Amino acid sequence: HEMIVIALLIPLLLFSYFGYWTGRGMGGFYTSKPMIISHRGVTERFPENTIEAYKDSVKKGFDAIEIDVLASKDSVVYCSHNHELERETKYQGYIHQIKSSKIDEMETGKYSHPDNQKPIPRLTDILVELPYNIRLNIEIKFSSPFDFSTISILRKEILKNKIKQPILISSFNPFIVFYTRWFIPNVKTGYLVESAS
């Protein structure tokens, strides 16, 4: 049985490589070329990836916002760039190993905005705060190459039509991009790469 699965998987992967890794109709997403996207929100006054930073982006006229997301231990999606709490908060540990009831009590911005720390927001909370015309580049963070926890939760929200804003799903993890292309029809995707220089 194992050989049959491998024999079927190889052509599927080849087809995916040639057919599914090409750009998927980005014309409807961009408002201009180039389009200026607010990276993690406007962070002049507020910590990154907070409701306040996102809303400030809207006030300053941005058409799109890049949002970093990852899931808690009990499958709640939060806006945060880092799994490690000590990088942005006074707490220790990893978001994906902590339940949402604890994360909801935490504030971020310990180092960037020590006098103006803000709660770590749930993705569902920021979606209701942002206008529906604001485009969202939702970057999926991951704890390992095959960590599909966040994207699988997000998939359910998308398929239930709970996200009203135009979205682009992006990640530095090609497996997450692959998953998105296969299991979330019609969603625009972006594979992120980092320059060595």
Side-chain angles (χ1 to χ4, degrees):
H1 292 299
E2 197 172 291
M3 291 303 294
I4 294 172
V5 171
I6 292 171
L8 291 172
L9 197 57
I10 289 172
L12 181 66
L13 290 173
L14 285 172
F15 172 77
S16 298
Y17 180 81
F18 291 112
Y20 269 75
W21 291 91
T22 56
R24 186 191 271 170
M26 295 303 293
F29 186 79
Y30 293 116
T31 58
S32 62
K33 294 182 181 180
M35 184 171 76
I36 300 173
I37 301 174
S38 177
H39 187 238
R40 305 180 198 170
V42 172
T43 58
E44 182 181 1
R45 296 168 48 212
F46 305 105
E48 66 181 27
N49 283 311
T50 59
I51 289 176
E52 293 80 7
Y54 300 146
K55 289 172 90 173
D56 213 19
S57 298
V58 176
K59 287 180 184 176
K60 287 184 166 39
F62 283 92
D63 295 315
I65 305 170
E66 186 265 355
I67 295 172
D68 300 302
V69 298
L70 48 88
S72 65
K73 185 177 182 179
D74 53 343
S75 302
V76 175
V77 178
Y78 284 89
C79 300
S80 177
H81 181 264
N82 304 304
H83 282 81
E84 306 94 332
L85 287 167
E86 54 264 35
R87 291 183 64 176
E88 300 173 336
T89 77
K90 66 179 182 181
Y91 300 93
Q92 292 187 336
Y94 299 91
I95 288 180
H96 66 286
Q97 296 174 351
I98 299 173
K99 289 188 176 180
S100 57
S101 57
K102 286 286 187 187
I103 299 170
D104 287 339
E105 299 173 357
M106 300 177 181
E107 290 188 329
T108 185
K110 178 185 176 185
Y111 301 106
S112 63
H113 297 77
D115 298 323
N116 194 24
Q117 297 180 58
K118 298 296 178 185
I120 301 172
R122 295 181 179 211
L123 178 62
T124 51
D125 291 338
I126 72 106
L127 291 173
V128 298
E129 292 284 343
L130 295 177
Y132 291 166
N133 66 318
I134 295 294
R135 286 154 171 74
L136 303 178
N137 175 356
I138 303 177
E139 183 187 334
I140 310 298
K141 309 309 273 188
F142 51 94
S143 59
S144 66
F146 294 101
D147 174 14
F148 299 114
S149 57
T150 302
I151 189 60
S152 62
I153 298 163
L154 196 59
R155 174 181 175 269
K156 294 173 187 174
E157 299 296 303
I158 293 168
L159 294 181
K160 290 176 184 175
N161 200 31
K162 291 192 175 181
I163 302 179
K164 305 301 182 185
Q165 294 85 354
I167 62 169
L168 162 70
I169 303 294
S170 64
S171 182
F172 283 97
N173 184 338
F175 298 112
I176 288 175
V177 177
F178 182 86
Y179 177 102
T180 306
R181 295 297 300 251
W182 270 100
F183 297 111
I184 314 179
N186 303 318
V187 167
K188 301 175 192 310
T189 56
Y191 176 44
L192 304 174
V193 293
E194 191 169 356
S195 171
S197 58

Short mmCIF file of all heavy atoms in Angstrom, two decimals, residues 21-45:
data_model
loop_
_atom_site.label_atom_id
_atom_site.label_comp_id
_atom_site.label_asym_id
_atom_site.label_seq_id
_atom_site.Cartn_x
_atom_site.Cartn_y
_atom_site.Cartn_z
N TRP A 21 1.75 26.46 -8.51
CA TRP A 21 2.68 27.43 -7.93
C TRP A 21 2.75 28.72 -8.74
O TRP A 21 3.42 29.66 -8.36
CB TRP A 21 4.08 26.82 -7.80
CG TRP A 21 4.10 25.77 -6.76
CD1 TRP A 21 3.86 24.44 -6.93
CD2 TRP A 21 4.32 25.94 -5.36
NE1 TRP A 21 3.92 23.78 -5.73
CE2 TRP A 21 4.21 24.67 -4.76
CE3 TRP A 21 4.60 27.04 -4.56
CZ2 TRP A 21 4.37 24.48 -3.39
CZ3 TRP A 21 4.77 26.85 -3.19
CH2 TRP A 21 4.65 25.58 -2.63
N THR A 22 2.01 28.78 -9.83
CA THR A 22 1.96 30.01 -10.59
C THR A 22 1.02 30.99 -9.91
O THR A 22 0.16 30.60 -9.13
CB THR A 22 1.46 29.73 -12.03
OG1 THR A 22 0.20 29.07 -11.94
CG2 THR A 22 2.45 28.87 -12.79
N GLY A 23 1.20 32.28 -10.22
CA GLY A 23 0.37 33.30 -9.59
C GLY A 23 -1.10 33.08 -9.87
O GLY A 23 -1.48 32.64 -10.95
N ARG A 24 -1.94 33.38 -8.90
CA ARG A 24 -3.37 33.14 -9.05
C ARG A 24 -4.11 34.47 -9.08
O ARG A 24 -4.53 34.98 -8.05
CB ARG A 24 -3.85 32.28 -7.88
CG ARG A 24 -5.31 31.86 -8.00
CD ARG A 24 -5.80 31.24 -6.71
NE ARG A 24 -5.58 29.82 -6.68
CZ ARG A 24 -5.73 29.06 -5.59
NH1 ARG A 24 -6.05 29.62 -4.45
NH2 ARG A 24 -5.52 27.78 -5.63
N GLY A 25 -4.24 35.08 -10.26
CA GLY A 25 -5.09 36.23 -10.48
C GLY A 25 -5.02 37.33 -9.44
O GLY A 25 -5.99 37.58 -8.75
N MET A 26 -3.89 38.00 -9.32
CA MET A 26 -3.73 39.03 -8.30
C MET A 26 -4.33 40.37 -8.73
O MET A 26 -4.38 41.30 -7.93
CB MET A 26 -2.25 39.23 -7.97
CG MET A 26 -1.61 38.00 -7.33
SD MET A 26 -2.45 37.49 -5.84
CE MET A 26 -2.07 38.88 -4.79
N GLY A 27 -4.82 40.45 -9.95
CA GLY A 27 -5.35 41.72 -10.45
C GLY A 27 -6.45 42.30 -9.60
O GLY A 27 -6.56 43.51 -9.44
N GLY A 28 -7.29 41.47 -9.02
CA GLY A 28 -8.38 41.95 -8.20
C GLY A 28 -7.98 42.36 -6.80
O GLY A 28 -8.78 42.92 -6.06
N PHE A 29 -6.75 42.06 -6.42
CA PHE A 29 -6.31 42.37 -5.06
C PHE A 29 -5.60 43.72 -5.00
O PHE A 29 -5.85 44.53 -4.11
CB PHE A 29 -5.37 41.28 -4.54
CG PHE A 29 -4.98 41.45 -3.09
CD1 PHE A 29 -5.86 41.06 -2.08
CD2 PHE A 29 -3.76 41.99 -2.74
CE1 PHE A 29 -5.51 41.21 -0.74
CE2 PHE A 29 -3.40 42.15 -1.41
CZ PHE A 29 -4.29 41.75 -0.40
N TYR A 30 -4.73 43.97 -5.95
CA TYR A 30 -3.96 45.21 -5.93
C TYR A 30 -4.82 46.42 -6.30
O TYR A 30 -5.63 46.35 -7.20
CB TYR A 30 -2.78 45.13 -6.91
CG TYR A 30 -1.74 44.12 -6.50
CD1 TYR A 30 -1.47 43.01 -7.28
CD2 TYR A 30 -1.01 44.29 -5.33
CE1 TYR A 30 -0.52 42.07 -6.91
CE2 TYR A 30 -0.06 43.36 -4.95
CZ TYR A 30 0.18 42.26 -5.74
OH TYR A 30 1.13 41.35 -5.36
N THR A 31 -4.61 47.51 -5.57
CA THR A 31 -5.30 48.75 -5.90
C THR A 31 -4.43 49.63 -6.79
O THR A 31 -4.92 50.52 -7.47
CB THR A 31 -5.67 49.54 -4.63
OG1 THR A 31 -4.48 49.81 -3.89
CG2 THR A 31 -6.65 48.75 -3.77
N SER A 32 -3.15 49.39 -6.76
CA SER A 32 -2.19 50.11 -7.61
C SER A 32 -0.93 49.29 -7.70
O SER A 32 -0.73 48.35 -6.93
CB SER A 32 -1.88 51.49 -7.00
OG SER A 32 -1.26 51.34 -5.73
N LYS A 33 -0.06 49.64 -8.62
CA LYS A 33 1.21 48.92 -8.76
C LYS A 33 2.35 49.93 -8.74
O LYS A 33 2.44 50.75 -9.65
CB LYS A 33 1.23 48.13 -10.07
CG LYS A 33 0.21 47.00 -10.08
CD LYS A 33 0.29 46.21 -11.36
CE LYS A 33 -0.74 45.10 -11.37
NZ LYS A 33 -0.69 44.32 -12.62
N PRO A 34 3.21 49.91 -7.75
CA PRO A 34 3.12 49.05 -6.56
C PRO A 34 2.06 49.55 -5.59
O PRO A 34 1.71 50.72 -5.60
CB PRO A 34 4.51 49.18 -5.94
CG PRO A 34 4.95 50.56 -6.33
CD PRO A 34 4.40 50.79 -7.71
N MET A 35 1.58 48.64 -4.75
CA MET A 35 0.62 49.01 -3.71
C MET A 35 1.36 49.05 -2.38
O MET A 35 2.10 48.11 -2.04
CB MET A 35 -0.52 48.00 -3.64
CG MET A 35 -1.60 48.38 -2.65
SD MET A 35 -3.06 47.31 -2.76
CE MET A 35 -2.47 45.84 -1.95
N ILE A 36 1.18 50.12 -1.63
CA ILE A 36 1.87 50.26 -0.35
C ILE A 36 1.03 49.60 0.73
O ILE A 36 -0.13 49.96 0.94
CB ILE A 36 2.13 51.74 -0.02
CG1 ILE A 36 3.00 52.36 -1.11
CG2 ILE A 36 2.80 51.88 1.34
CD1 ILE A 36 3.19 53.86 -0.97
N ILE A 37 1.63 48.62 1.41
CA ILE A 37 0.95 47.85 2.45
C ILE A 37 1.54 48.20 3.81
O ILE A 37 2.76 48.24 3.97
CB ILE A 37 1.09 46.33 2.18
CG1 ILE A 37 0.48 45.98 0.82
CG2 ILE A 37 0.44 45.52 3.29
CD1 ILE A 37 0.70 44.54 0.40
N SER A 38 0.68 48.45 4.76
CA SER A 38 1.13 48.75 6.12
C SER A 38 1.61 47.46 6.79
O SER A 38 0.83 46.54 7.02
CB SER A 38 -0.02 49.37 6.92
OG SER A 38 0.36 49.60 8.25
N HIS A 39 2.91 47.39 7.09
CA HIS A 39 3.52 46.17 7.63
C HIS A 39 3.28 46.07 9.13
O HIS A 39 3.83 46.84 9.91
CB HIS A 39 5.02 46.18 7.31
CG HIS A 39 5.72 44.91 7.67
ND1 HIS A 39 6.78 44.87 8.53
CD2 HIS A 39 5.49 43.65 7.27
CE1 HIS A 39 7.19 43.63 8.66
NE2 HIS A 39 6.42 42.86 7.90
N ARG A 40 2.43 45.13 9.53
CA ARG A 40 2.06 44.91 10.94
C ARG A 40 1.33 46.10 11.54
O ARG A 40 1.28 46.27 12.75
CB ARG A 40 3.29 44.58 11.78
CG ARG A 40 4.10 43.40 11.26
CD ARG A 40 5.30 43.11 12.13
NE ARG A 40 6.27 42.30 11.43
CZ ARG A 40 7.50 42.03 11.86
NH1 ARG A 40 7.91 42.53 13.01
NH2 ARG A 40 8.31 41.29 11.15
N GLY A 41 0.79 46.96 10.70
CA GLY A 41 0.12 48.17 11.16
C GLY A 41 1.10 49.32 11.28
O GLY A 41 2.30 49.16 11.09
N VAL A 42 0.58 50.51 11.58
CA VAL A 42 1.44 51.68 11.81
C VAL A 42 1.90 51.62 13.26
O VAL A 42 1.09 51.66 14.19
CB VAL A 42 0.69 52.99 11.51
CG1 VAL A 42 1.52 54.19 11.94
CG2 VAL A 42 0.36 53.08 10.02
N THR A 43 3.22 51.54 13.45
CA THR A 43 3.76 51.28 14.79
C THR A 43 4.43 52.49 15.44
O THR A 43 5.18 52.35 16.39
CB THR A 43 4.76 50.12 14.72
OG1 THR A 43 5.80 50.45 13.79
CG2 THR A 43 4.08 48.84 14.27
N GLU A 44 4.16 53.67 14.91
CA GLU A 44 4.75 54.88 15.49
C GLU A 44 4.25 55.09 16.93
O GLU A 44 5.04 55.41 17.81
CB GLU A 44 4.39 56.08 14.63
CG GLU A 44 4.99 57.39 15.10
CD GLU A 44 4.58 58.56 14.23
OE1 GLU A 44 3.82 58.38 13.26
OE2 GLU A 44 5.03 59.68 14.53
N ARG A 45 2.97 54.87 17.16
CA ARG A 45 2.38 55.13 18.48
C ARG A 45 1.95 53.86 19.21
O ARG A 45 1.79 53.87 20.42
CB ARG A 45 1.16 56.05 18.33
CG ARG A 45 1.50 57.44 17.82
CD ARG A 45 0.24 58.23 17.41
NE ARG A 45 -0.78 58.17 18.43
CZ ARG A 45 -2.10 58.19 18.17
NH1 ARG A 45 -2.53 58.25 16.93
NH2 ARG A 45 -2.97 58.13 19.15
#
